[in-house]
Amino acid sequence: MVRKPLRKSVASVAALVFLALAAFARDAVAQDAIEPGADMPAGIEVVGVGTAPEADAPAEDPATVVTGARDTGAMESRAAPVTTEADFFMICRRGTDGDATTASYGTARFSFDSEGSRDVKGQVVVEALFGNAASFGIRKAFVKARLAGVRLTMGKTTGTWGEGRVFNSGDVVFGFAADADLTAETISDPSAWLASLYVPLGDFSFAEAVFLPPEFPLSASIAKSLGVPDAPEPEQAGLESVRCAARVYSKPAGVKVEAGCLRDPDAGTWRPYASVQGRFLADLQLSSSVILPDDDPLGSGKTWETSGGIYHDIALGAGTFGLRVEGRVRPFGTWDASPIPRSPSAPSMPTPGASSAPDPYAASAFGEATWQSDAWFCFLRGLYSPVDASAQVSGGVRWKPLQGFEMFASISSNAGGGGDVYESGRDGGWSAAVGSCITF
Amino acid sequence: MGFRDMTAIMLATLAALSPAMPAAAQEAPTADGILARLDAAQTYSTLRSEATMSITDSLGTRRTDFINQARGADDTLIEFTSAAEKGQKILKNSKELYLYFPDAEEVMRLQGAALRQSMAGSDISYEDMTGTRTRRLNYTPRLERKEVIDGRTAWLLVLDAKTKNVAYPKQEVWVDAATFLPVMVRSYALSGKLLKELRFSDVRMAGGRPFNGRITVRDMMKTGTKTELLFRKVEVDVPIDPKIFTLENLSW
């Protein structure tokens, strides 16, 4: 899978991370040891397990077990407690002065899984970025437990609130990643530190409450303790900085309905939202939210935004052709184009997709056409800003010739004048990339 | 021994043997009866199996391991355990099908045409998973003939869909005359074009019931590909927590 390269590196915590991971992995392997007598094909050493033991299965009712004829000549790929996913990129892109620049680098994800019982699991996912040096960050680090029918989650993880691939006005918790990449398989996948309570309300409904404390400034703290010159003072956050949110999810009459609210004490705002998803000839989704300040509890409605989308696919040849259109409207937002000042800090890493400015306008649109078969995935994606009439278009192809191995190529370009959201002349205004990915 | 004694002995012998005789021999081979037995033969109160899916195309063979848990005619949970797809899950009930992607912690509900997408790059589509144990509800059967196929004596049923809410408007199903398990299934488009062929083999016993241990699937719209499902370990009528067929467990 193609992933966004890291933009925020936390090189100084690498040593601590590895110490923690070493301990975590050791425990994970110990817990996942194969039970004595487990059924193995001859000559194959299995180093992990795929499922938790059936703790509730009564011993007095041993069911008939069929052990079929094994294809002993074939190597079985049992899941290991550690999964590695590595991407290697060669990129050519527009540089700051307009010349073409090239770079090659790699990213990797190391996922350490631990499942002590069917009601407890943990995972640490370390992201690495490596060029002529390496930096590391934590994408996920969480533990989940099921207690008395309630699921508790603590740590850093990801999730989806609301509905929408690119524009999702209902995702008040995770939002849309600022470093989203149109050429990536997962366009945006932000994560956050949180504590969550998930309460099932039937088989396909639930309620969830999350608490989102600020991330501990570990790198600043370490730098300070090491006496790094000019190290910033680690910021101390008070209880008033803990955001919290709640939602209810249900599916009456086959339509997915979700509603909730985010409380941001620092900003002094409430952000209620609602989202629906269903099917009428095509898959349809709609999400809407508004930010209500404490000092204006009824709200002026000026922050109201709504996103919607439609998706349909058809069989085409040996694959499936899919078409998706999404849009977002902020009715009281800015409908007049004005030059967007460039950020003084250029992107720290060249990304496979073209770069853009934050979109401040009242309307935005996204379109996607894909064709995928067993081994191929072709895409054409575009973001369009109707207010300043600028656009970003990306196209690419991914080929998966072997299990766990993928090659990809993509091009991406902006089409817009100076100061537009998708300005052609900005750093990274166009980009071409080739690469490969392995998962093992 | 008189005639009456001989008759009594024969009747007693028949009575003693009758419980052990295959039910097939006791029922008239009507199309509807065979279809009902086909559905019943594939339906378990609960089933848990570990399997390998081998996908072969012009580039070679890829193998994916998964755990399948089923309850009754409708509920199925598949969890992939191989590295590339680790943690991905598919939950199916009588009405809907959900996918779970652990990396994004995202639950996706598949509806409509999206169900025709290939499952993990195989010859099997998501909609192939639906309705395989409830054909009697959705199809009108017609008994064509009895013939030997793959060394197994089988009834050939031609099924015409009663509703548009099925994956294939027409199917031919060869039903094993002894076990009532499917031997081969051919699925057709409305135009009569052959879309998919499934062959079942390696019959073994699980919980006292016969079970097809190997299924070979060919998507006839593709050239040179096939998908083989090999069930390595099967347990039937074992306790399965009903909560595993819920959204909570899917996103666990």
Side-chain angles (χ1 to χ4, degrees), chain B residues 118-178:
Chain B
S118 163
M119 181 175 76
S122 69
D123 291 70
I124 304 166
S125 67
Y126 292 109
E127 67 182 354
D128 287 336
M129 295 173 58
T130 62
T132 57
R133 290 170 278 172
T134 56
R135 286 193 173 92
R136 199 179 177 205
L137 293 176
N138 298 315
Y139 288 94
T140 301
R142 187 174 73 247
L143 180 56
E144 284 288 307
R145 59 183 175 271
K146 194 176 189 180
E147 62 185 31
V148 176
I149 179 168
D150 293 341
R152 296 160 71 178
T153 303
W155 302 104
L156 169 57
L157 293 181
V158 177
L159 309 182
D160 291 306
K162 299 175 183 174
T163 167
K164 290 182 178 177
N165 298 324
V166 291
Y168 305 104
K170 181 182 175 184
Q171 288 190 320
E172 289 179 329
V173 184
W174 282 260
V175 184
D176 191 306

Side-chain angles (χ1 to χ4, degrees), chain A residues 65-86:
Chain A
V65 174
V66 174
T67 51
R70 296 292 183 85
D71 187 358
T72 52
M75 189 174 76
E76 294 186 354
S77 53
R78 297 285 288 174
V82 180
T83 305
T84 302
E85 182 184 317

Side-chain angles (χ1 to χ4, degrees), chain A residues 372-377 398-401 406, chain B residues 57 59 62 121:
Chain A
Q372 59 182 318
S373 67
D374 301 349
W376 293 91
F377 179 76
R398 296 196 189 98
W399 182 39
K400 196 181 289 184
E406 186 175 321
Chain B
D57 57 20
L59 298 168
R62 311 188 294 277

Side-chain angles (χ1 to χ4, degrees), chain A residues 50-389:
Chain A
T51 56
E54 289 283 343
D56 293 348
E60 69 275 13
D61 185 21
T64 301
V65 174
V66 174
T67 51
R70 296 292 183 85
D71 187 358
T72 52
M75 189 174 76
E76 294 186 354
S77 53
R78 297 285 288 174
V82 180
T83 305
T84 302
E85 182 184 317
D87 296 317
F88 304 94
F89 298 89
M90 292 179 66
I91 292 177
C92 181
R93 71 198 293 267
R94 187 191 191 283
T96 310
D97 57 3
D99 293 338
T101 62
T102 61
S104 58
Y105 63 95
T107 65
R109 285 185 178 188
F110 307 99
S111 176
F112 300 80
D113 298 327
S114 178
E115 194 161 335
S117 78
R118 60 184 294 174
D119 291 320
V120 180
K121 71 191 299 186
Q123 187 183 42
V124 174
V125 180
V126 178
E127 287 184 317
L129 171 64
F130 43 95
N132 62 350
S135 66
F136 299 88
I138 299 291
R139 172 170 157 70
K140 288 185 183 179
F142 67 82
V143 61
K144 289 181 183 177
R146 286 192 281 217
L147 289 168
V150 176
R151 182 201 293 178
L152 310 172
T153 304
M154 288 194 75
K156 188 175 188 183
T157 186
T158 185
T160 305
W161 289 44
E163 282 287 337
R165 172 70 64 88
V166 171
F167 297 118
N168 180 359
S169 297
D171 198 345
V172 298
V173 171
F174 294 98
F176 191 68
D179 56 353
D181 176 6
L182 277 194
T183 66
E185 187 169 2
T186 305
I187 295 173
S188 167
D189 58 348
S191 59
W193 287 94
L194 55 81
S196 157
L197 277 175
Y198 176 109
V199 183
L201 305 172
D203 289 354
F204 291 92
S205 302
F206 64 86
E208 185 176 19
V210 298
F211 302 89
L212 300 133
E215 197 168 322
F216 178 67
L218 183 60
S219 54
S221 179
I222 291 175
K224 194 73 179 174
S225 64
L226 294 176
V228 175
D230 301 327
E233 195 68 32
E235 290 186 18
Q236 304 281 327
L239 276 178
E240 69 280 3
S241 298
V242 178
R243 296 181 301 146
C244 51
R247 65 170 165 169
V248 177
Y249 177 114
S250 190
K251 199 169 59 60
V255 176
K256 192 205 102 173
V257 179
E258 184 182 331
C261 186
L262 170 76
R263 169 64 178 164
D264 188 339
D266 259 356
T269 59
W270 298 85
R271 188 176 178 190
Y273 80 95
S275 173
V276 294
Q277 185 267 329
R279 181 172 177 80
F280 179 71
L281 300 177
D283 289 343
L284 306 168
Q285 42 100 349
L286 192 69
S287 299
S288 192
S289 65
V290 63
I291 298 172
L292 304 177
D294 285 343
D295 55 7
D296 184 12
L298 295 177
S300 60
K302 288 187 176 176
T303 56
W304 175 41
E305 68 171 66
T306 298
S307 64
I310 181 170
Y311 174 77
H312 188 62
D313 61 10
I314 57 170
L316 182 64
T320 305
F321 174 76
L323 196 60
R324 182 187 304 274
V325 177
E326 289 185 359
R328 182 188 61 201
V329 177
R330 299 166 174 148
F332 302 99
T334 305
W335 289 96
D336 298 318
S338 57
I340 302 169
R342 288 192 188 177
S343 169
S345 57
S348 58
M349 282 297 299
T351 57
S355 63
S356 62
D359 184 354
Y361 295 129
S364 310
F366 168 74
E368 177 189 66
T370 60
W371 183 84
Q372 59 182 318
S373 67
D374 301 349
W376 293 91
F377 179 76
C378 308
F379 66 90
L380 182 65
R381 293 170 174 155
L383 282 163
Y384 178 59
S385 172
V387 175
D388 65 13

